């Protein structure tokens, strides 16, 4: 018996459908964005990272059934380019799974991600993300300053950053929402390669046993602005166009709608 897809209505493409218990979390004064790389910190980091990887393997590979295509090619490409740091852009479609995906695509390479404040406020998971140097979106002038300093240090350390430019999670959404070129300023400023990781959804062979979609993630890249001598804004727009085009092309491979999103008609 086929399951009828759930229908969800929305009024804006920036609407939130997944909220944490501490959605309005605020960073404490003196919040430490970057933990450094002293011996003790490195040991602690690798322990936390390994534990996170084990959890993500169970949740991502076994529970969600994620398959990743292009992971090895991405790593080979980075070695050929002698690039230590890079930015990966993905569509925001898996509640909790997007964090797992960030880890699964990059372990054991040093990773970070730009995450919403609500994620930092989640018990157990939030402190773990903090120790892994995941960067909370800054809101105050002081936070922006520390965010920028931390990202600079992490790039120098050879970190791979995961960015979800759609910003809001739409679970199981099969298309790509419009997003601005704002987050493309990071690879432009640091002159690093960018990649695209597009999550697609497919009907399982035994869907009557598990109606949730099978998940395949495609990694493409590297991408650079067309003209590295152009202004920062022009480079951002050039990179943005390539990333959006790639995401939308890959998203067309989705062949199963577990949830249908419909725009609410004006009354």
């Amino acid at each position: 018996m086929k399951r009828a897809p759930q229908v969800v209505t929305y009024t804006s493409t920036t609407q939130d459908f997944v909220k944490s218990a501490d959605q309005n979390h605020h960073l404490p004064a003196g919040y430490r964005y970057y933990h450094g790389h002293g011996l003790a910190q490195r040991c602690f980091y690798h322990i936390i990272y390994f534990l996170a990887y084990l959890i993500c393997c169970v949740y991502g590979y076994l529970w969600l059934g994620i398959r990743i295509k292009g992971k090895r090619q991405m790593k080979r490409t980075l070695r050929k380019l002698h690039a230590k740091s890079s930015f990966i852009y993905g569509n925001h479609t898996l509640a909790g799974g997007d964090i797992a995906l960030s880890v699964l695509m990059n372990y054991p390479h040093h990773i970070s991600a730009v995450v919403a404040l609500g994620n930092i406020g989640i018990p157990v998971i939030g402190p773990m993300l903090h120790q892994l140097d995941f960067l909370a979106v800054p809101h105050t002038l002081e936070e922006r300053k520390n965010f920028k300093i931390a990202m600079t240090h992490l790039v120098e350390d050879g970190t791979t950053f995961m960015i979800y430019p759609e910003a809001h999670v739409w679970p199981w959404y099969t298309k790509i929402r419009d997003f601005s070129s704002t987050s493309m300023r990071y690879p432009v400023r640091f002159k690093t390669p960018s990649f695209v990781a597009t999550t697609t959804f497919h009907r399982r062979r035994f869907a009557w046993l598990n109606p949730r979609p099978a998940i395949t993630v495609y990694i493409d890249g590297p991408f650079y602005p067309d003209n590295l001598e152009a202004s920062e804004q022009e480079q951002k727009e050039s990179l943005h166009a390539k990333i959006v085009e790639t995401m939308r092309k890959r998203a067309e491979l989705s062949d199963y709608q577990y949830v249908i999103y419909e725009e609410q008609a004006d009354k």
Side-chain angles (χ1 to χ4, degrees), residues 9-23:
T9 58
Y10 66 91
T11 56
S12 167
T13 55
T14 59
Q15 188 171 341
D16 268 319
F17 288 105
V18 176
K19 295 183 179 181
S20 67
D22 194 4
Q23 186 73 11

Side-chain angles (χ1 to χ4, degrees), residues 12 69 85 150 153-154 212 251:
S12 167
K69 294 189 176 184
S85 187
H153 283 309
L154 289 170
R212 285 186 298 106

Side-chain angles (χ1 to χ4, degrees), residues 85-112:
S85 187
S86 63
F87 288 81
I88 304 175
Y89 291 86
N91 50 327
H92 214 1
T93 58
L94 299 172
D98 285 333
I99 292 175
L101 182 59
S102 303
V103 173
L104 296 176
M105 281 194 298
N106 294 287
Y107 185 86
H109 190 81
H110 192 186
I111 64 163
S112 181

Side-chain angles (χ1 to χ4, degrees), residues 36 83 101 190 236:
L101 182 59
F190 293 112
K236 282 164 49 182

